[in-house]
Amino acid sequence: QWEAAPVKKGDVNLDGTVDVADIATVISVMAGSAGDSPASADVNGDGTVDVADIASIISIMAANARRLNTAD
């Protein structure tokens, strides 16, 4: 039996990383061109997919970069 890996907050496209591709997915959802709107696109959990979710992804990316820089 297997268990699904937990989804990282901000990993909208579910590829295992939080990056610019996730921002592009949120933009596609906002534009209505993504087909079904994934629940993961509502990054900040306010019930809507909007520019605030993009800002949340950028914040997550910045925090990840800071962690990488302090790990060296």
Side-chain angles (χ1 to χ4, degrees):
Q1 188 175 22
W2 59 274
E3 291 183 28
V7 175
K8 294 180 185 178
K9 184 174 181 177
D11 183 16
V12 179
N13 63 1
L14 306 177
D15 68 354
T17 60
V18 179
D19 56 18
V20 71
D22 298 298
I23 293 171
T25 302
V26 171
I27 292 169
S28 292
V29 169
M30 289 169 54
S33 61
D36 290 336
S37 176
S40 58
D42 182 17
V43 179
N44 64 2
D46 68 355
T48 60
V49 178
D50 56 18
V51 71
D53 298 299
I54 294 171
S56 294
I57 294 170
I58 292 169
S59 293
I60 293 165
M61 290 170 56
N64 289 344
R66 281 192 297 276
R67 271 195 294 277
L68 288 174
N69 287 335
T70 58
D72 290 340

